[in-house]
Amino acid sequence: MERFGRLQTLTVAHEDYATVITVARQESLNALNRKVLAELETVLDALIAGGPGKPLIITGEGPRAFVAGADIGEMANMTPDEAEEFARYGQGIFSKLEAFPGVTIAAVNGYALGGGNELAMACDIRIAASNARFGQPEVGLGIIPGFGGTQRLARIVGMANALDLVLTGRMIDAQEAWRIGLVHKVVDQGKALEESLNYAKTVMKNSPFAVAQAKKAIYGDPRRYSGMALEVDLFSKCFDHPDQKEGMKAFLEKRQAGFQKQG
Ligand code: COA
C-alpha cells in the first residue's frame, strides 16, 4: 500500500490502530477545496483497495477547526453547471468514505461547518472536543448543503433537528450536538484524536471482516438516500440566483449579506 505521508493539503499517518488523515489547510480553517477532495479520494481509493482492515480517523489541523466548510472562495463564481458537478463530486467521495470497509471516526477538534459537518457525518462515529462547533450555515450564503448533508443530517438527528439546523444555519456546541445525537462522545479540548485512537483500538479487537459486513448491513442499500440527486439539482439551482453571489461575496468581504426579500 502506498504510504503517502505529507500531501499538498492532507497528511496521512499510519498509527498502530488506525490510519489518520488530517486536513491541513489551517490558513482557511481547513476548508475543502478541489485539491483536498482530490487528495482525499486518492487516499481513500488506495486504502479501500487494501480490503477490510484498519480503522480510519479524519481530523483537522490546528486547534480551531475540523473543517469550516467547502471553500467559499472557490465556489463564489461557479456557474450552475459547475456547482452541479462540484456537488456530485463531493457526494461521490463522501459516499466512498461511508462505504469504507472498516470503522471511520471523525475526530472533531473545532469548527465542523457545512461541508465539514457533512464530512463528519459521512464517518461512522463522531468524537468531539468540548470546543467543537457544528452547523450547516449554507442558507446564510444563499445555497443549501450539497455534499449529502440534507440527507445524512435528517437520518442522524431526525427531520425536526435537521430542519432546525439547516433553516436557521445556527451553530451548536459540542454538548448540544451530543444531546441531539450528532456526536457520540464529547471529550476535553485537545483530546479528540487521542479518544478516537482509543475507540479505533476497541473496534480493532474485533474481526475486521465482520466489522465491514456489519457496516454494510447497518447502512443497507446505497440508494437509501432518496434525495441525493434532488440535493444536487437544488444546490446547482441556487447558483442561478443572485442570493448565492451576494451571500458568498459578503462572506469574502466580511460583511452582512443583503438577500432579495420575497412577497
Ligand atoms: N471557505 C473559505 N475560506 C474560509 C472558510 C470557508 N468555508 N471558512 C473560513 N475561511 C477563511 C476565512 O476567509 C479567513 O481567511 P482570511 O484570514 O484570509 O480572511 C480564515 O479562514 C479565518 O476565518 P475567519 O472568518 O477570519 O475566522 P473567525 O474566527 O472570525 O470565524 C468561522 C470562524 C468558522 C465562524 C468563519 O470563518 C465562517 O463562518 N466560515 C464559513 C463557514 C461556512 O459558511 N461554511 C459553509 C461553507 S458552504
Side-chain angles (χ1 to χ4, degrees), residues 7-18:
L7 301 174
Q8 272 181 50
T9 63
L10 301 178
T11 63
V12 182
H14 299 277
E15 305 291 346
D16 287 346
Y17 300 105

Side-chain angles (χ1 to χ4, degrees), residues 11-34:
T11 63
V12 182
H14 299 277
E15 305 291 346
D16 287 346
Y17 300 105
T19 305
V20 181
I21 298 179
T22 303
V23 181
R25 290 189 73 218
Q26 262 197 88
E27 68 290 353
S28 58
L29 302 183
N30 303 323
L32 302 174
N33 62 9
R34 280 183 184 277

Side-chain angles (χ1 to χ4, degrees), residues 154-229:
R155 297 279 292 218
I156 293 171
V157 300
M159 187 85 86
N161 286 315
L163 283 164
D164 171 28
L165 291 178
V166 173
L167 301 187
T168 62
R170 73 190 177 92
M171 244 190 261
I172 59 172
D173 64 16
Q175 278 303 330
E176 185 172 358
W178 177 79
R179 188 174 57 70
I180 66 174
L182 181 57
V183 304
H184 295 76
K185 205 167 188 173
V186 180
V187 296
D188 287 346
Q189 190 169 343
K191 297 284 181 197
L193 181 56
E194 185 183 320
E195 188 59 25
S196 299
L197 286 163
N198 287 336
Y199 194 98
K201 190 175 173 183
T202 304
V203 176
M204 269 300 265
K205 289 180 186 146
N206 304 317
S207 152
F209 178 77
V211 165
Q213 307 318 304
K215 258 189 78 162
K216 270 193 198 167
I218 291 171
Y219 283 117
D221 188 332
R223 288 166 302 179
R224 69 198 163 281
Y225 300 121
S226 56
M228 284 291 195

